[in-house]
Every structure is written in structure tokens, then in C-alpha cells.
Amino acid sequence: MKLYNTLTRTIDEVQPQHQPTVTIYTCGPTVYDYAHVGHWFNYVRMDTLVRTLKATGLQPEWVMNITDVGHLVSDADDGEDKLEKGARREGKTAWEVAEFYAKDFMDGWNQLGNLMPDHIVKATDHIAEQIELVKRLETKGYTYVIDDGVYYDTSKFEGYATFARLDLDDQQAGARVAVNQQKRNPTDFALWKRTPAGQKRDMEWDSPWGKGFPGWHIECSAMSMKYLGDTLDIHTGGIDHIPIHHTNEIAQSEAATGKRFAVMWMHSNHVMVNGDKISKSLGNGIRLQELVEKGFSPQVVRLNVLESHYRSQSQFSWDSLEAAKNRLASLYAMADLQFQAKDSTKPWLLGSTYLDDIRSALQNDLATPQALAVLSALANQSDSQLLHTHEAKHFTELLATVDELLGLNLSTRTDITSEQKQLIAKREQARTTKDWAKSDELRDTLANQGIGVRDTAHGPIWYRQ
RNA sequence: GGCGCCUUGGCGGAGCGGUUACGCAGAAGUCUGCAAAACUUUUUAGACGGGUUCGACUCCCGUAGGUGCCUCCA
């Protein structure tokens, strides 16, 4: 499988260190608020990566973190923890806020049909590991202590700027960040923040540097090393993480271990809403729940995600969601033919290359639009082709494999009831005797149950409306 | 100020130096008891100006517009 690697800026072959295992670390949510469509685009794409790796014969070992502490609103002196801020906003404790939004996130995750990572790890469950890692960095001389905590001296890590291709000198000219005067370099970041004197946080722990909480970046390094070893095969995240979060992860991890932190970096581009970036100030962060309430199932959202490439800046719009809904409906109509297939000696499904084509599209840097084009080609096969399979079960097996790759639930649909089938048969009988009144009445009855019937050369074919 | 990206038909969105992307929507036709569906066809696609080439949407240069990052962010 080939994947665009942010580290090399080329499309590289995925080469796991210990085949068939492939280790993947995904930067997960910070659970201080609801997830919006932009987040879900990101996670569906990560899920598609894992599905494709599986189909390639690899065994993914997948870790995703949940950030429930330490993610600051800004890096300035007065930057506060998002969780603590959320707690004040809602009159709860930071712990309650974290639990609430983590659960909401996992609900959305499951609704979208994303595969479950092997480990979902919380920052607050790994404070000891993070402290250990800071100590290692301290021993190696990469840290310094100032009033508000322990900082990483980025000037000590050679090549700090190379991953993101930053020009640190020129950046300072236009930087709007309020620089902490005690920091040695503008890019230095907190490894451990002390609870300010006289304050009491919901979340704080003892450490060699005083009571406080870990910086945001250290959690990913500590947890990925714990579960997946010093060097990851693939690290994934949003494109916005390249210049700060992932740059810092590399600096601290590689400084601590002396080894490469991740062989490949896969980044998902952002989604725009009506041409605008999704942001709090614009209030355009649409939740999954809102889409569902408007009649778009999570699978419609999923199809909408797959319709664009993960590296392009894609557009979210109600029109394109509507288009995805219609497209999914026609895929489901195709899938429902599995219940109407007539066994025959026509063996086309056995020799078809649809699955191979979908697989190779995905293996080519997750070309999901191409994969869908192949799926549409399958759906555009004539009724005759689709209905007369060698064995009906092969049709279902084909759909099941498509589902393994794309997660669209084509194979998990259920048949209509035998009563409904009888109605269809009766209508067909009425048509044979040219009893149009009766046949139309039966058609209406079926329509009321959400079932449409189309009369074809192969007899009546039902579909769900 | 620095770094980067984009500009494809009504909308969404791909690949590709010469061959139909694909989907959604619209139009016409075929079929049909009527519908629906299906099928067929269809709507001057490649921001603009140059260049390279036998040939460019696809490579190069420039112009215009847009946009992302450098501040938290998927």
C-alpha cells in the first residue's frame, strides 16, 4: 500500500517494521466540547486507512488517544486548560466534562461504523508515563524550569523545524503570539505545567516539579511509546498538527529515545463549510447529531467523506450531503438485489475485478473517489447481470467485502417480509389479469410500507424508497 | 513579513500529456396499462496570458482571484 508521507513529502510504500503487524497512532479528540463534521471527516479517513491496511493482509495495531487534560487554549502565560474552561462553562468538574464528551465522541464513532482501535487511551490514565518521559528528557538536558513549569528547549533538538519546513526566523516577524518572556525560544513548549499558586484545579498531580498537569504534546509521545514501542509505523492526525503538535512530538520523542519516532505521517486535510473554515467564532461546527436529525444517516455522512480525497481541502455542504444521500440510496437499491437474486449458471461475479479495483484504488494513497467510481460501476450493471449470479450467496459475499473496505453497510441489510413478498406476487398476478385497479392498490399499500416496485423484463423488482 | 496550496461542466469531485472519471441535479428519448425504475442520449469542463510538445485540463513561466498555516484547532 502506498501513502503520502508528510515526513518525506512523497508517496511512499507502507513498510511495517514487524510484518504483518503495522502500528498506527491516531491523534484523537480533546474532549471539552462536541465533535463536528470536520472531526468526523478526519476519523472516517483514518478508519479507511486501517481498513485498507487490513485488506492488504497486514494486522493493524491501532492506538487512539483521548486528550482529557493539558490542552491549553493558548500557549501564552494565561493560557488555560480547555477542560477546566469547559468545566466552568458547564458548572461541572473537568472530570465530568471529559467523561461526557468522550462518551459522546465514542457514540458518534460507533454510529459512523468506524472500526474500534485496539487501544483507546486517556491522557489522565498515563500521568506516570508522562512524568517518566519528562524525567528522561531532563536527564538528557533538553529541559529547563521556569516559574510556570518545565519547558522543552527546542534549540537543543537539531532539525526541529524540518518536519514542518518552518522558517523560524521569519516566523517571528508576523507572529501574534504573546511570548512568554521567560522562554528561551519562542517555539519552546511546556512539558509540565505547575498549578499556579493559590489555585486549585480539578485535575492536578504531584510531580518532581511540583503539583500540576502535563503539557499537551507529551501525552502522545508517552502513550504511543508505551503501547507501540519507540518507533511507529504510521502516525496520523489533522493537517493542523504538523507545525506544532507533531513537530513537538518528534522533538521530544526522538530526543528521549534517539530513534525515529514515526516512519510515516499521514495527515487529513481540513473540511470547509460554505467556503469557510470550521471554527467556534463562525459557529459553523455542525454536529453529527444535527445531520442525523435532518435525515442524513451516519452512512450518508460516511459516503460524503469518501467522495473526496483526504489530502484535498474538501467542502461540506447540504447539497453535497443530499447528493450523497441519493447516491447511497441507489447503492442500497443495488444491495437489495441480493435478496432477489436468482441462482443461475452465469458466473460473472466470480470473475469480476470490482473488489480488486476497489482495493487497489484504496491502496493507492487512499483514492476513495476512485473506489466509489468502481462501486458505481458495479451498481450500474444491468439487472440481468446482478440478478443472475452464479450463486446468490456470492453477491452477499461481494457486498460484505465491500463493507469491510468502505463501511457502508451494504451487506447488513435485511430482506423484506414474506407478507410483503406476497403483496408483490399478488400485484403481479393482478397485472397478468389486467386488473389495474387492484394492482395499483397493492402498489400503494407497498409504497406506504416504504417499498417501491419496478416492473422489468425480469419480473417485478422491489426497492426501498 | 515568511512558508504553502488551490482555481475542472448547474453542484460535488477524480485521474491522466493523446482514449467516458464517477456521483447528484436538469433535459430529451426508449420502454411501460399508468407510474416508477431502468436504459440511451444530452447540457460549448478545464481562471486568464504565454511557452514546451506532433499533441496539454495534465509539464514550465507569468497574471488574476481564492485560500491554508505561521495563535488553539481534525
Side-chain angles (χ1 to χ4, degrees):
Chain A
M1 144 146 225
K2 290 188 170 74
L3 199 60
Y4 181 82
N5 184 358
T6 307
L7 186 64
T8 60
R9 313 272 161 154
T10 54
I11 293 174
D12 298 341
E13 187 70 35
V14 176
Q15 291 178 311
Q17 306 157 89
H18 308 291
Q19 291 216 38
T21 301
V22 54
T23 55
I24 306 151
Y25 185 90
T26 292
C27 272
T30 300
V31 285
Y32 68 103
D33 204 345
Y34 292 110
H36 57 61
V37 288
H39 298 108
W40 294 126
F41 266 62
N42 179 56
Y43 294 114
V44 166
R45 289 161 168 174
M46 303 317 171
D47 174 70
T48 305
L49 169 66
V50 172
R51 286 169 182 270
T52 305
L53 290 167
K54 275 183 135 167
T56 307
L58 297 168
Q59 289 169 14
E61 175 138 18
W62 188 16
V63 173
M64 179 171 72
N65 69 297
I66 287 184
T67 299
D68 54 359
V69 68
H71 199 157
L72 301 185
V73 172
S74 99
D75 272 341
D77 274 337
D78 58 347
E80 67 182 317
D81 190 320
K82 291 183 173 193
L83 270 296
E84 301 274 340
K85 190 181 178 184
R88 267 215 323 280
R89 179 187 68 216
E90 301 186 10
K92 297 177 183 172
T93 68
W95 293 100
E96 288 166 341
V97 167
E99 188 184 353
F100 178 83
Y101 289 112
K103 181 182 181 306
D104 189 76
F105 179 84
M106 290 317 299
D107 285 349
W109 181 277
N110 288 323
Q111 281 184 60
L112 285 162
N114 290 333
L115 301 178
M116 195 49 65
D118 300 284
H119 307 278
I120 293 181
V121 294
K122 290 183 189 170
T124 52
D125 287 339
H126 298 80
I127 300 298
E129 286 86 348
Q130 296 176 70
I131 289 175
E132 260 330 288
L133 187 52
V134 178
K135 277 160 110 175
R136 277 175 82 181
L137 290 167
E138 190 171 50
T139 306
K140 291 198 169 193
Y142 282 93
T143 69
Y144 60 94
V145 177
I146 56 178
D147 292 351
D148 68 343
V150 183
Y151 279 76
Y152 184 97
D153 187 341
T154 52
S155 68
K156 297 228 167 113
F157 184 72
E158 201 180 334
Y160 175 77
T162 53
F163 180 64
R165 317 252 155 129
L166 301 172
D167 185 335
L168 298 178
D169 293 331
D170 282 322
Q171 264 189 27
Q172 294 170 35
R176 281 171 288 160
V177 61
V179 179
N180 179 332
Q181 295 303 320
Q182 289 189 318
K183 281 179 16 180
R184 292 182 188 169
N185 310 288
T187 49
D188 292 354
F189 55 92
L191 296 167
W192 185 267
K193 293 272 282 186
R194 287 178 176 144
T195 304
Q199 274 190 33
K200 169 73 184 157
R201 288 171 50 90
D202 288 335
M203 293 176 168
E204 57 185 5
W205 296 265
D206 288 323
S207 84
W209 315 280
K211 195 168 283 240
F213 59 99
W216 174 38
H217 313 295
I218 199 73
E219 63 167 277
C220 288
S221 294
M223 295 191 291
S224 73
M225 286 182 201
K226 171 173 179 177
Y227 291 96
L228 301 174
D230 288 348
T231 302
L232 294 164
D233 289 321
I234 305 173
H235 191 132
T236 80
I239 195 171
D240 51 287
H241 283 152
I242 296 170
I244 306 275
H245 185 49
H246 290 165
T247 290
N248 291 347
E249 280 186 39
I250 290 171
Q252 65 198 180
S253 304
E254 300 192 354
T257 65
K259 297 179 196 161
R260 164 145 293 166
F261 180 46
V263 177
M264 293 189 99
W265 289 82
M266 181 257 201
H267 288 103
S268 166
N269 207 329
H270 280 339
V271 181
M272 313 293 276
V273 173
N274 298 325
D276 289 317
K277 195 184 160 180
I278 298 175
S279 72
K280 281 264 184 289
S281 56
L282 288 169
N284 55 2
I286 304 162
R287 290 170 51 194
L288 183 62
Q289 191 55 39
E290 187 179 341
L291 303 182
V292 171
E293 281 162 10
K294 291 193 176 175
F296 301 103
S297 72
Q299 278 61 47
V300 168
V301 178
R302 191 175 185 92
L303 183 63
N304 192 208
V305 173
L306 298 175
E307 282 180 324
S308 68
H309 189 84
Y310 78 94
R311 283 200 284 129
S312 68
Q313 189 175 73
S314 31
Q315 299 293 329
F316 173 85
S317 72
W318 296 104
D319 282 350
S320 80
L321 200 61
E322 191 72 42
K325 183 181 182 178
N326 291 338
R327 183 179 198 168
L328 188 64
S330 89
L331 290 176
Y332 281 164
M334 180 265 289
D336 282 344
L337 294 179
Q338 70 185 296
F339 305 116
Q340 305 173 68
K342 307 162 171 61
D343 288 352
S344 85
T345 52
K346 252 183 168 173
W348 76 270
L349 277 174
L350 296 176
S352 73
T353 60
Y354 293 109
L355 285 176
D356 289 340
D357 291 348
I358 290 174
R359 216 176 274 124
S360 46
L362 294 174
Q363 286 168 340
N364 181 20
D365 195 25
L366 293 179
T368 52
Q370 260 82 24
L372 291 182
V374 175
L375 187 55
S376 289
L378 170 64
N380 288 339
Q381 285 294 323
S382 67
D383 293 334
S384 155
Q385 289 277 32
L386 290 169
L387 287 173
H388 297 96
T389 65
H390 185 59
E391 287 183 53
K393 73 182 172 92
H394 286 134
F395 196 177
T396 308
E397 284 167 8
L398 174 80
L399 295 175
T401 310
V402 171
D403 277 348
E404 282 171 22
L405 289 161
L406 303 175
L408 294 174
N409 294 357
L410 299 175
S411 62
T412 55
R413 301 176 63 73
T414 50
D415 202 351
I416 57 173
T417 65
S418 51
E419 288 77 21
Q420 290 168 327
K421 284 179 178 172
Q422 276 174 19
L423 288 177
I424 293 170
K426 277 181 187 161
R427 174 174 171 276
E428 193 56 15
Q429 219 166 22
R431 289 184 72 235
T432 316
T433 59
K434 296 190 192 295
D435 186 350
W436 309 127
K438 170 137 194 189
S439 107
D440 287 352
E441 185 195 320
L442 286 165
R443 183 164 66 195
D444 289 344
T445 307
L446 283 160
N448 287 335
Q449 297 177 27
I451 292 170
V453 182
R454 55 194 176 95
D455 302 318
T456 76
H458 313 286
I461 294 177
W462 58 263
Y463 59 96
R464 291 177 174 91
Q465 290 170 323

